Amino acid sequence: MSKIPLSFTIFLSLIFFPSIITPSSIIDSYLYGGCTQQKYTPNSPYEANLNSLLTSLVNSATFSTYNNFTMVGGSQQDAVYGLYQCRGDLSMPDCAACVARAVTKAGDMCRGSCGGAVQLDGCYVKYDNATFLGVEDKVVVLKQCGPSVGYNPEGMGSRDAVLGGLAGSGGPFRQGGSGEVRGIAQCVGDLSYGECQDCVSEAISKLKSDCGTADYGDMFLGKCYARYSIGGAHQVSKAHGKYGKGGERRFAMIIGILAGVAILIIFLAFLSKICGRQEK
């Protein structure tokens, strides 16, 4: 019996323990979603166009963090419009996985509806039979504020400085930090530079006024959002959402798996040595 290569042993461990080595990602934490009241006829041209659009969104997310599509088909009344947007700091594999999950969530939640929208922690997906592409939308769709930590001039000053930096930055995705304060903001990619600035400024203004002295805040408008966290109360500085004990458990799990692989390697080497002696 010949020695089994290390790479093959690790390969075996990945086959036997795939669900442990790759736990479900927390970038897909559900934040909000909604469906239009209008329904489409089953097996209609609109349903075919919608399925084509959703497939295009998922496929496009493998190589781009934002894209939009319009499926017209044979008639304008069967047209469907859609887009997706991943957080700017997501890797392409995470972006693709997030969009696929958002599309699945929208399909389950909005079955039969002409339009739907789903915001996960790492990405956003929206589709409708009425065009919304390139249209600014500053309606509040989600507001979350953490518990008040009382007025702290230094902490609130840092928070306001971070949010001010986000408002003054360029580009659709912005992130920044100062001391214990972290913040991010992002516009949907179909907005112009001016519309993006206007939307982010509105989200930040509402965030400061509505969340006051909260240790974290999230303000999602129709086409942009702004978020902040003080002292890690609500993680917004990474693309992988909230860490906490979940991250520690995953780390411990990985360490345990590596230890198991090491024991397996030692056992196979020992078995190989015994078999080698018997062959002599």
Side-chain angles (χ1 to χ4, degrees):
M1 181 178 177
S2 60
K3 292 184 178 180
I4 298 176
L6 173 61
S7 58
F8 182 69
T9 305
I10 295 176
F11 174 70
L12 287 176
S13 70
L14 292 175
I15 292 177
F16 287 114
F17 305 112
S19 62
I20 298 178
I21 205 78
T22 56
S24 60
S25 175
I26 57 176
I27 62 171
D28 61 347
S29 299
Y30 176 76
L31 296 181
Y32 70 84
C35 315
T36 61
Q37 293 184 347
Q38 185 178 0
K39 302 290 185 177
Y40 60 78
T41 303
N43 302 315
S44 64
Y46 185 85
E47 182 178 19
N49 285 343
L50 176 58
N51 290 336
S52 295
L53 180 134
L54 296 178
T55 299
S56 297
L57 296 182
V58 173
N59 291 339
S60 178
T62 61
F63 58 84
S64 177
T65 58
Y66 164 78
N67 211 342
N68 68 75
F69 295 89
T70 300
M71 302 296 177
V72 177
S75 172
Q76 183 61 38
Q77 67 180 9
D78 296 321
V80 56
Y81 310 87
L83 59 76
Y84 71 89
Q85 172 91 66
C86 290
R87 277 184 52 158
D89 51 355
L90 247 64
S91 66
M92 292 317 306
D94 283 343
C95 176
C98 189
V99 170
R101 290 185 176 98
V103 166
T104 300
K105 178 74 173 178
D108 293 340
M109 185 173 66
C110 302
R111 195 174 304 277
S113 295
C114 289
V118 168
Q119 175 74 63
L120 302 183
D121 194 50
C123 63
Y124 174 67
V125 164
K126 182 176 181 178
Y127 59 90
D128 205 339
N129 62 339
T131 183
F132 57 89
L133 301 176
V135 179
E136 188 175 5
D137 183 358
K138 296 188 290 184
V139 174
V140 176
V141 290
L142 176 69
K143 179 185 74 173
Q144 297 182 142
C145 300
S148 174
V149 293
Y151 184 73
N152 180 333
E154 184 177 353
M156 289 299 102
S158 296
R159 184 203 65 174
D160 292 348
V162 169
L163 293 178
L166 296 179
S169 300
F173 179 72
R174 306 124 185 248
Q175 57 183 330
S178 175
E180 293 188 328
V181 182
R182 295 291 180 271
I184 59 171
Q186 187 169 22
C187 298
V188 177
D190 62 332
L191 295 185
S192 68
Y193 175 81
E195 290 170 336
C196 180
Q197 290 294 104
D198 183 46
C199 191
V200 169
S201 295
E202 179 77 7
I204 289 174
S205 176
K206 290 181 179 297
L207 192 59
K208 292 168 65 176
S209 63
D210 290 8
C211 289
T213 58
D215 59 358
Y216 73 82
D218 300 332
M219 185 64 65
F220 285 79
L221 307 186
K223 282 290 183 76
C224 71
Y225 65 80
R227 313 174 74 182
Y228 76 87
S229 170
I230 300 176
H234 179 54
Q235 287 283 356
V236 298
S237 61
K238 297 291 184 181
H240 303 294
K242 306 169 189 175
Y243 285 124
K245 295 181 179 179
E248 295 173 2
R249 284 196 296 268
R250 283 190 298 279
F251 179 76
M253 191 177 295
I254 292 172
I255 293 299
I257 292 169
L258 292 177
V261 170
I263 292 172
L264 180 61
I265 293 171
I266 294 171
F267 173 76
L268 291 175
F270 177 74
L271 187 62
S272 176
K273 185 178 295 185
I274 292 177
C275 293
R277 290 175 180 174
Q278 290 178 347
E279 290 176 359
K280 293 178 182 180

